[in-house]
Structures are given as C-alpha cells and as structure tokens.
Amino acid sequence: MKIVKYLIVFVLLIGLGISAWFYYPQYQIHQMKKHAVAAVNKSSDQVSYLNYYRNAKTSQIHHLAIGDSIIRGVGAGKNENFVSLFSSKLAEQTAKQIEFQNQGINGITSSELDDLVQEGRFDESIKQSDIVTINVGGNDILRMANGQNFRTVIQSYDQLQTTFSKNLSEITSRITKLNPKVTIVFLELYNPLSPDDQLYPLADKMLPKWNVNIYEVAHKVPGSIVIETTKVINGDHLQNLSPDGVHPNLAGYTAISEQMIYQFKHQFRKSTV
C-alpha cells in the first residue's frame, strides 16, 4: 500500500514539474512586461515610442533591420516585407522621412548573425540608425530538429536556448556600445503550425519558454521593445502564412507591421540616459 502511495505522489510531482516547465515561461513573460511598464511609469518624462520619434529634432529616421528570412520578407513580394511596411507606416505617423535598410539573410542562425555583428559587418549602419530591428532564432531550432528524433530535440532544447540567449546578448551589447541611444526592436518567435497538427500543443507550450530569452535580453536594454508577433501569427490566424506554412504572406507582414505601430503608440520608452 505504501508503494502505491509513493507512486501516486511521484506521478503527481512529475505532473507538477511538467506543468511548471510549460506554463512558468508564460508567467515570466507577463511579469517582465509588468515590471517594464512599472519602471517607465516611475519616470516623470513618459513618452511613447511613437511620440519619441515624432518629437525628435530631425527630419529623417534611420531604420536598420538584421536577421533571417522573416526580416528579408520571404513569403511575400518585393517591398511587401514588414520592414518596409512598418517604415512606411512610421513615416505617416511621424511626418518624417524614414530611411530603412533590410539586411535580412535567408537561413541565418543567431550564432552566424552574432559572428557578422562582432566582425563589424553592420557597424556603420548601426552607428547611423535610430531603430535596429532584430529577428533571429527560428533557424537555430530548425537546424537542430533536422533529422533528429523527438527525444533528441527535447533533450537539446535547453542547451540551444542557452546558446541563443548568449548570442542575442552579444549582438545587443555591440549595438548599444556603438549606438547607446538606439531603439532595439525584437520580435517574438511564433508557432506556424495548425492546431490540427499533432505537434501543435507541444510547440505552443515550448515557444513561450524560448521567447523568455528574448524578453530577458530586452529587459537589460533601456531603449528596447519586444513586438508580440504571436498575437498576429498563430493557430487562429493561419491566413497570415504563405503557402510554405512557415513564413508570413503579405497579410502576415502587414499584421506584424500594424502590431509594431500599435505597440509604438501604446508603450512608453525608457530613457537610455
């Protein structure tokens, strides 16, 4: 009888552990958002990201975007990527000229992007930029999962996150060293799977754990914002995906750019000084 009791307790503990592994990341993200808002609210000179650029004493705003195929705009036509769409919307909202550079590279991982940043590939552009947008990490997961069985993927996930977090931290550190006043825009990693896919529930629980890394890095950079891409690209908005089922289409990139503008309007920018 004691053995049965111990087994029941053991199973319950395992269940609680798995639940915590799945749901604690969502709680962490919520708390980081809450703390970020509280930190800005303590400041007497609250200003939204949009008003920050609207009131800037310059007629031009420079926007640099680096990262993977999502930055590049795969899945939509020329000039239909979210970088150009967002820049166009920002120009309308601020009545300023937006000069943007799209330096997205198809298939690039966070380690490869980190190497390019540390080598100085983007130094001059970073120095001149008012906004630097970063999207990277999806290819880290895809390369790890390619040809691997399910068990191996799960076992490698934590180490992959550690490497990704290190890379993203190094990238942002160099950017802020070169340009302390720049706004860094990060994008969440979204789940492109259909709810009918047997792996959808697992991916939907694991991605918040991945996105925690992005929020943690952003939390250390005063002038930064994380765009909630998962609100517009998810199982309820599959119409925003291109036929390849991974990249956004024009509707998806438009939705991301609109989400960026929404957050620029409603989130306050913490001073970098």
Side-chain angles (χ1 to χ4, degrees):
M1 194 66 181
K2 284 185 178 181
I3 293 176
V4 174
K5 188 185 294 184
Y6 288 145
L7 283 173
I8 292 172
V9 171
F10 180 67
V11 170
L12 285 173
L13 287 173
I14 290 176
L16 287 171
I18 292 173
S19 296
W21 194 87
F22 278 154
Y23 293 106
Y24 183 60
Q26 295 171 327
Y27 171 77
Q28 284 179 292
I29 290 174
H30 173 75
Q31 288 299 105
M32 279 186 276
K33 290 179 185 176
K34 184 178 176 181
H35 290 157
V37 171
V40 176
N41 286 344
K42 289 180 181 178
S43 173
S44 59
D45 57 342
Q46 295 181 27
V47 60
S48 70
Y49 284 85
L50 186 61
N51 282 335
Y52 176 82
Y53 289 108
R54 183 180 284 155
N55 300 332
K57 296 178 180 179
T58 179
S59 60
Q60 281 190 342
I61 297 172
H62 296 270
H63 178 202
L64 169 67
I66 59 176
D68 54 27
S69 55
I70 303 296
I71 293 286
R72 194 68 189 166
V74 172
K78 186 179 180 181
N79 297 324
E80 292 180 345
N81 57 82
F82 81 86
V83 178
S84 60
L85 293 171
F86 166 73
S87 297
S88 177
K89 293 176 187 296
L90 187 62
E92 293 174 4
Q93 294 287 330
T94 60
K96 296 182 185 294
Q97 182 180 351
I98 310 297
E99 297 289 340
F100 69 89
Q101 293 183 59
N102 187 322
Q103 295 290 338
I105 301 172
N106 295 347
I108 198 170
T109 64
S110 64
S111 294
E112 292 166 344
L113 181 61
D114 187 25
D115 287 342
L116 292 179
V117 170
Q118 303 310 322
E119 290 169 5
R121 168 86 169 261
F122 310 108
D123 279 7
E124 291 309 310
S125 296
I126 290 170
K127 290 175 185 177
Q128 296 172 12
S129 295
D130 300 291
I131 301 170
V132 174
T133 296
I134 303 172
N135 189 84
V136 74
N139 292 310
D140 297 37
I141 297 175
L142 290 175
R143 287 199 193 179
M144 176 198 68
N146 188 30
Q148 302 293 326
N149 59 47
F150 182 75
R151 183 185 295 274
T152 303
V153 170
I154 294 296
Q155 290 173 340
S156 304
Y157 195 65
D158 284 342
Q159 180 56 51
L160 189 68
Q161 288 187 98
T162 300
T163 302
F164 168 72
S165 182
K166 171 181 170 293
N167 292 334
L168 197 60
S169 294
E170 290 177 353
I171 290 167
T172 56
S173 292
R174 184 166 181 86
I175 290 172
T176 53
K177 182 179 179 180
L178 292 168
N179 188 345
K181 294 185 178 181
V182 72
T183 293
I184 300 181
V185 179
F186 300 92
L187 271 67
E188 292 178 335
L189 185 65
Y190 60 82
N191 179 5
L193 297 179
S194 166
D196 297 330
D197 193 298
Q198 61 179 356
L199 291 179
Y200 177 86
L202 179 62
D204 213 38
K205 297 298 184 296
M206 291 178 75
L207 285 177
K209 187 173 170 66
W210 182 273
N211 285 330
V212 164
N213 298 289
I214 299 173
Y215 279 92
E216 286 178 339
V217 171
H219 186 65
K220 298 173 185 176
V221 182
S224 68
I225 183 170
V226 181
I227 304 304
E228 298 177 70
T229 322
T230 52
K231 283 190 172 182
V232 296
I233 308 285
N234 54 52
D236 294 326
H237 295 89
L238 295 178
Q239 75 277 7
N240 287 338
L241 290 174
S242 65
D244 68 15
V246 176
H247 296 93
N249 53 21
L250 174 57
Y253 285 124
T254 300
I256 293 172
S257 67
E258 289 174 347
Q259 179 66 27
M260 292 174 74
I261 289 293
Y262 176 84
Q263 288 185 231
F264 264 54
K265 283 182 178 179
H266 294 91
Q267 288 184 225
F268 295 120
R269 189 181 191 277
K270 187 176 179 182
S271 174
T272 56
V273 179

